[in-house]
């Protein structure tokens, strides 16, 4: 390690330790969230078959019709009912912040990182807005205004409950598609999607299942949900709740429908206009996993634009990395949605 890499990694570790509300949650199969019974004799086999069926019929599994109750309030907050009825009522109303650009210009759906706050990434939204691009920033399931009562973190979308994690990520994609329906109803035809971290995973899956999206930009990229959980620094408390109950290979199979890689291997990303940006020293979404993802994309006919920066996961927010990343991402969308 050179001195600069050590400096970045120290910063990443320091940022990680500032969150003192991470807790190791108990393991659950969560079959009730995916149409199963808690009394299932072989829950692993049930989830394996469920995941296989979801992959094979992913277009139906991720399908979402427009909501019937879209409402945009005077503060430009869009609300509507999610297509999935989760056990927490507060999670079932989707909230999204609108940053209007040019009326007839392009629009980008922005999907934030795990545990992002209500005002998180607003600076990026304003930056994109100033270029004339409309931004709709969607709150992910179980985040900020959608957070389950009594919870401090969005552990349902990334936690040691197998079925609930599947349901929550499926809900995220379906909610994103309902946002795209609304943008289309407002007359926007040049649509893009921008995701960060878990928003990148959800965004890529949305991109390959929705032909309306012309361009996808992604901060931080990886292969399988299970690989990030088991190897990433910021998810080690999640893996701690899982590792005595499932192997990485089993978890990769169980959570394959909510992972980008299976859709890459089916060639679903070929021909799509994408820009993927990642950190060379990222301890959360490891760069070797990112390179594996990019290699697979190219083998299966895709030609993504890429940029590796000498930073990590959190440190991408720092100057000069944030300015370089923002400039390159905005240039990509201006060109792709022109």
């Amino acid at each position: 390690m050179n001195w600069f890499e050590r400096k970045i990694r120290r910063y990443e570790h320091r940022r990680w330790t500032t969150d003192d509300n991470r807790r190791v949650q108990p393991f659950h199969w969560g079959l009730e969230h995916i149409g199963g019974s808690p009394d299932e004799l072989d829950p692993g086999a049930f989830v394996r078959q469920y995941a296989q069926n979801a992959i094979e019929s992913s277009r139906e599994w991720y399908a979402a019709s427009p909501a019937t109750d879209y409402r945009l309030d005077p503060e430009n907050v869009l609300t509507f009912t999610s297509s999935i009825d989760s056990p927490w009522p507060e999670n079932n109303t989707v909230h999204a912040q609108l940053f209007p650009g040019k009326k007839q210009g392009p629009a980008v759906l922005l999907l934030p990182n795990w545990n992002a706050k209500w005002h998180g990434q607003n600076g990026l939204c304003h930056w994109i807005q100033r270029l004339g691009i409309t931004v709709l920033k969607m709150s992910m399931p179980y985040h900020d205004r959608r957070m389950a009562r009594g919870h401090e973190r969005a552990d349902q979308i990334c936690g040691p409950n197998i079925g609930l994690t599947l349901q929550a990520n499926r809900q995220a994609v379906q909610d994103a598609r309902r946002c795209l329906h609304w943008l289309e109803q407002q007359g926007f035809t040049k649509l893009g999607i921008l995701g960060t971290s878990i928003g990148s995973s959800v965004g890529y899956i949305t991109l390959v299942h929705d032909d309306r999206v012309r361009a996808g930009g992604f901060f931080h990229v990886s292969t399988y949900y299970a690989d990030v959980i088991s190897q990433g620094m910021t998810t080690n408390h999640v893996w701690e709740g899982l590792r005595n109950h499932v192997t990485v290979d089993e978890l990769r199979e169980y959570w394959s429908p909510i992972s980008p890689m299976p859709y890459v291997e089916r060639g679903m990303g070929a021909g799509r206009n994408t820009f993927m940006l990642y950190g060379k020293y990222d301890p959360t979404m490891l760069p070797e996993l990112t390179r594996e993802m990019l290699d697979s994309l190219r083998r299966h006919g895709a030609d993504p634009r890429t940029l590796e920066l000498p930073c990590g996961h959190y440190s991408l927010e720092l100057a000069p990395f944030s300015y370089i990343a923002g400039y390159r991402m905005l240039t990509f969308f201006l060109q792709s949605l022109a």
Side-chain angles (χ1 to χ4, degrees):
M1 261 186 225
N2 60 42
W3 69 271
F4 188 77
E5 180 179 353
R6 287 197 298 271
K7 183 176 181 178
I8 292 295
R9 292 191 182 278
R10 281 197 297 268
Y11 176 82
E12 294 288 316
H13 188 267
R14 187 165 65 251
R15 276 291 306 276
W16 172 57
T17 57
T18 57
D19 288 337
D20 60 359
N21 59 356
R22 293 186 181 91
R23 301 288 183 269
V24 177
Q25 305 291 334
F27 173 83
H28 294 287
W29 283 105
L31 301 189
E32 65 274 18
H33 302 290
I34 54 174
S37 168
D39 301 323
E40 178 67 43
L41 294 178
D42 190 347
F46 180 92
V47 178
R48 186 176 294 109
Q49 186 61 55
Y50 178 88
Q52 182 179 333
N53 293 341
I55 287 286
E56 291 173 354
S57 59
S58 65
R59 293 200 178 276
E60 292 75 24
W61 198 64
Y62 280 124
S65 59
T68 59
D69 59 348
Y70 292 116
R71 179 178 177 272
L72 185 67
D73 71 15
E75 295 183 350
N76 279 330
V77 175
L78 176 71
T79 57
F80 59 89
T81 301
S82 176
S83 57
I84 286 183
D85 185 24
S86 75
W88 291 270
E90 50 271 46
N91 176 56
N92 297 332
T93 297
V94 182
H95 296 256
Q97 300 176 64
L98 179 69
F99 300 81
K102 293 179 181 177
K103 191 171 184 181
Q104 300 302 321
V108 168
L109 174 64
L110 189 145
L111 304 175
N113 54 288
W114 187 32
N115 289 302
K117 307 304 182 187
W118 176 250
H119 296 292
Q121 295 195 320
N122 278 9
L124 176 61
C125 293
H126 288 302
W127 199 4
I128 300 172
Q129 180 187 35
R130 282 196 289 270
L131 295 176
I133 300 176
T134 293
V135 184
L136 183 63
K137 187 185 75 168
M138 186 187 90
S139 291
M140 300 284 275
Y142 302 100
H143 284 67
D144 50 76
R145 296 186 178 185
R146 305 179 64 180
M147 186 165 287
R149 187 168 299 176
H151 289 255
E152 296 182 11
R153 296 176 57 85
D155 294 320
Q156 296 88 348
I157 199 171
C158 182
N161 187 314
I162 302 295
L164 180 56
T165 299
L166 277 166
Q167 185 199 61
N169 281 268
R170 181 189 185 192
Q171 183 176 29
V173 174
Q174 292 189 352
D175 291 346
R177 299 193 70 182
R178 284 200 159 181
C179 284
L180 292 169
H181 281 304
W182 182 82
L183 286 169
E184 188 178 48
Q185 290 176 5
Q186 308 315 301
F188 294 102
T189 57
K190 300 173 183 177
L191 299 175
I193 197 162
L194 173 57
T196 300
S197 195
I198 194 172
S200 173
S201 173
V202 170
Y204 183 82
I205 294 172
T206 304
L207 171 84
V208 300
H209 286 90
D210 201 309
D211 294 335
R212 293 170 298 187
V213 183
R214 292 173 51 172
F218 307 108
F219 294 122
H220 311 300
V221 181
S222 196
T223 50
Y224 287 92
Y225 213 93
D227 293 337
V228 175
I229 297 301
S230 60
Q231 299 182 44
M233 179 181 72
T234 59
T235 52
N236 66 358
H237 65 292
V238 179
W239 178 237
E240 187 65 25
L242 287 160
R243 66 185 183 89
N244 293 321
H245 304 276
V246 295
T247 66
V248 174
D249 288 339
E250 288 171 336
L251 191 61
R252 191 181 295 123
E253 192 172 9
Y254 298 154
W255 283 347
S256 57
I258 58 174
S259 303
M261 198 63 149
Y263 307 108
V264 172
E265 293 170 340
R266 290 169 62 187
M268 293 180 71
R272 308 309 294 272
N273 198 7
T274 58
F275 178 44
M276 300 182 173
L277 191 150
Y278 60 100
K280 185 177 182 180
Y281 308 128
D282 190 340
T284 295
M285 295 176 118
L286 303 186
E288 50 265 40
L289 296 177
T290 301
R291 296 186 191 106
E292 183 182 340
M293 170 79 164
L294 296 176
D295 288 344
S296 185
L297 278 163
R298 291 171 180 131
R299 283 198 310 273
H300 291 88
D303 186 24
R305 302 185 201 181
T306 64
L307 177 62
E308 180 187 78
L309 290 174
C311 64
H313 207 80
Y314 294 115
S315 48
L316 182 62
E317 301 172 353
L318 301 178
F321 311 120
S322 60
Y323 293 108
I324 297 169
Y327 173 77
R328 290 290 300 273
M329 189 63 75
L330 295 182
T331 301
F332 165 75
F333 278 116
L334 284 172
Q335 293 172 348
S336 301
L337 302 178

